[in-house]
Amino acid sequence: MKKYILILSCFFLVASCTKRFSAPLPDTTWSAFDSAKATPLISSINNRLEGVYAITNGNGTFGDTAVLKWSYTANGRDTSFYLSILCETEVSYFICEAKRLDTNIIFKGYWRKMVNTETGAVRLTISRKGGADKLLNNIAFASTDTVNIEGIYGSGPLATDQPLSLKYIRPLYKAKPLEIIAHRGGGRTSDLLPASENSLEIIKMASQFGATGVEIDVRLTSDGVPILFHDKSLNERVVQRSGLYGDIDNYTYQQLYTLVRLIKGERIPTLREALNTIVYNTPLQFVWLDTKYSGNLQPMRDLQKEFTAKATAIGRKVEIVIGLPDDDAVNNFMALKDYKAAASVCELSLEDVERTGATIWAPRWTLGKQNDEVDKVHAAGKRAMVWTLDVPASINDFITQGKFDGILSNYPSVTAYYHYVRQ
């Protein structure tokens, strides 16, 4: 008995001493940016700032080139715009807000490397001579003109005092579209993002990471409510301690809503809430509903139809597809009366794609680029997307040498970088 007590004591001691890594958002306070003299930018300026930029100062930390891309989060009539700077080195990205200050354009925000906990604040400026005059006054650039961004960044809580310089070199690649799909609504909780995986908050951030779409995990509660949750059971990887344990489908939605919080404190969202957020609050255009339960898919199908129609009604095109990851999901999908009219993504064989009428084929990335098979899919008027591709060198290889129409990744910023820097 003493032996078992000793073993348990050692276990709890080790567990209590386990180091928990974090990458908290740095303090981005900047008096100039927050002053009354600083005013919001006209959104038309945003498009003119997008492009591929050379990094001169700061290239030792972030690499030689960066992609600048705008995104937004809408809240009724109030829209917040964000400039993302996506880099190659160590999955680096910046997320900034922008304002006009006199004859300058200024940015404040933070940077992060997703392969570790490195992060810090950043302050950037486009001066009048650096291109702000022509941007602010809608003056066309001459062939010899460019945009120069100068600023400083810091590491962690340290002073923001390291130089950063970017110079516009060419527009973003747009010859061939690519769906850049963020895994688990925007990224995994284990990647230390500012919000929990599969939360409404991370969905709102997905486009800031360069994503054009999201994959979200759908399960059913015991009373049949579709919710977003990746794991089969409640556990401390995904949720805070609550006293509830076991399979998530043992609980009603009200029990989960009342008693459970995700790691960052958010509530577990319903699929309805998630789709409402995507349609009305984000620029996301693609939604992959990953079926994580065995059973009736009608609740998912009903929401797919409802929110496709709602997006169309406000002039947005949002493609929502039902994921078919296994034979059980295929059988439940084909049990729907109108399954042939339901957009779906099949992860099985090409034969399964054909019999389900799936609009998209999605093999795992470890099977390779499979260009011949992708050609067959395209010949049939369908698309092909690959999952879950995280190795930067492989992402670049799939983009430059492959033929897939979309890439699902935990690192959408890297996918966006390699896609937009193409020439």
Side-chain angles (χ1 to χ4, degrees):
M1 184 67 177
K2 290 181 179 179
K3 177 181 178 182
Y4 293 120
I5 293 175
L6 179 61
I7 292 173
L8 285 172
S9 298
C10 291
F11 171 79
F12 287 118
L13 178 62
V14 171
S16 64
C17 294
T18 300
K19 184 174 182 180
R20 292 186 179 274
F21 294 96
S22 64
L25 293 179
D27 180 5
T28 61
T29 303
W30 185 11
S31 58
F33 190 94
D34 300 323
S35 71
K37 291 182 178 180
T39 57
L41 285 184
I42 299 173
S43 59
S44 60
I45 295 172
N46 297 354
N47 293 334
R48 299 182 69 193
L49 276 172
E50 290 191 336
V52 179
Y53 285 67
I55 303 176
T56 51
N57 286 320
N59 56 318
T61 303
F62 302 111
D64 293 329
T65 55
V67 164
L68 271 63
K69 191 82 171 60
W70 285 93
S71 63
Y72 69 82
T73 301
N75 184 14
R77 295 183 179 180
D78 183 24
T79 301
S80 298
F81 291 93
Y82 299 93
L83 177 68
S84 296
I85 304 175
L86 312 174
C87 309
E88 179 181 22
T89 301
E90 297 182 297
V91 196
S92 305
Y93 65 83
F94 296 68
I95 298 177
C96 301
E97 298 174 84
K99 286 185 178 180
R100 173 178 183 164
L101 182 62
D102 299 324
T103 59
N104 301 320
I105 299 173
I106 61 175
F107 307 83
K108 77 165 186 177
Y110 71 96
W111 63 272
R112 169 79 201 286
K113 290 187 175 182
M114 286 185 65
V115 298
N116 51 45
T117 60
E118 290 184 67
T119 187
V122 63
R123 299 174 182 176
L124 301 170
T125 299
I126 304 176
S127 67
R128 182 180 64 82
K129 291 183 178 180
D133 181 52
K134 292 187 176 182
L135 288 167
L136 293 171
N137 294 291
N138 197 28
I139 300 172
F141 281 89
S143 59
T144 56
D145 291 333
T146 190
V147 176
N148 288 289
I149 305 176
E150 302 288 341
I152 50 178
Y153 71 96
S155 295
L158 301 179
T160 307
D161 57 4
Q162 301 176 66
L164 180 66
S165 302
L166 302 99
K167 180 179 181 179
Y168 178 91
I169 53 178
R170 65 176 182 272
L172 301 178
Y173 172 84
K174 294 183 179 179
K176 178 184 176 184
L178 180 76
E179 291 294 354
I180 301 166
I181 308 161
H183 195 208
R184 303 187 191 181
R188 299 169 297 190
T189 292
S190 59
D191 284 319
L192 310 179
L193 295 169
S196 303
E197 64 185 52
N198 280 312
S199 66
L200 299 182
E201 289 74 10
I202 201 67
I203 288 172
K204 291 177 183 178
M205 295 191 70
S207 61
Q208 297 173 33
F209 303 138
T212 62
V214 290
E215 178 260 16
I216 50 181
D217 301 296
V218 183
R219 294 189 181 276
L220 288 184
T221 62
S222 63
D223 52 341
V225 177
I227 59 170
L228 270 57
F229 203 79
H230 179 273
D231 295 8
K232 180 177 174 59
S233 62
L234 295 167
N235 62 81
E236 291 182 22
R237 186 196 75 79
V238 190
V239 298
Q240 299 175 359
R241 292 184 181 182
S242 65
L244 298 186
Y245 293 95
D247 290 351
I248 196 165
D249 58 11
N250 288 334
Y251 299 98
T252 66
Y253 172 69
Q254 191 59 43
Q255 288 174 317
L256 296 172
Y257 179 86
T258 303
L259 300 173
V260 178
R261 296 293 179 271
L262 299 175
I263 287 295
K264 297 286 186 177
E266 311 95 337
R267 288 187 171 91
I268 297 173
T270 64
L271 178 57
R272 172 175 293 279
E273 290 172 326
L275 293 176
N276 192 78
T277 296
I278 290 165
V279 169
Y280 294 108
N281 303 128
T282 79
L284 297 169
Q285 61 187 28
F286 184 85
V287 187
W288 181 332
L289 306 179
D290 190 8
T291 307
K292 291 292 186 184
Y293 69 93
S294 176
N296 185 8
L297 298 188
Q298 193 63 51
M300 195 187 303
R301 171 59 177 149
D302 291 342
L303 288 169
Q304 179 192 41
K305 288 191 291 187
E306 177 183 344
F307 281 93
T308 299
K310 285 182 173 180
T312 301
I314 62 171
R316 292 199 62 215
K317 183 180 180 181
V318 180
E319 183 178 7
I320 305 169
V321 297
I322 296 174
L324 307 176
D326 52 37
D327 290 333
D328 188 64
V330 165
N331 293 333
N332 290 324
F333 177 74
M334 295 181 70
L336 297 172
K337 292 182 179 179
D338 65 341
Y339 79 89
K340 291 184 179 180
S344 63
V345 50
C346 182
E347 300 175 22
L348 305 178
S349 68
L350 292 180
E351 290 74 22
D352 290 310
V353 172
E354 181 66 26
R355 72 187 181 96
T356 58
T359 48
I360 300 168
W361 177 51
R364 65 180 64 193
W365 78 274
T366 51
L367 297 175
K369 294 185 286 293
Q370 304 186 84
N371 285 341
D372 291 342
E373 288 79 4
V374 174
D375 282 339
K376 293 178 182 178
V377 171
H378 288 163
K382 302 175 184 290
R383 287 172 295 159
M385 300 183 184
V386 63
W387 61 273
T388 297
L389 185 51
D390 294 336
V391 181
S394 296
I395 292 174
N396 189 29
D397 184 45
F398 271 67
I399 288 175
T400 57
Q401 304 300 320
K403 298 182 179 181
F404 283 103
D405 305 289
I407 292 177
L408 171 62
S409 178
N410 289 299
Y411 298 150
S413 62
V414 174
T415 307
Y417 170 84
Y418 283 124
H419 173 62
Y420 290 120
V421 298
R422 297 178 68 181
Q423 298 188 67

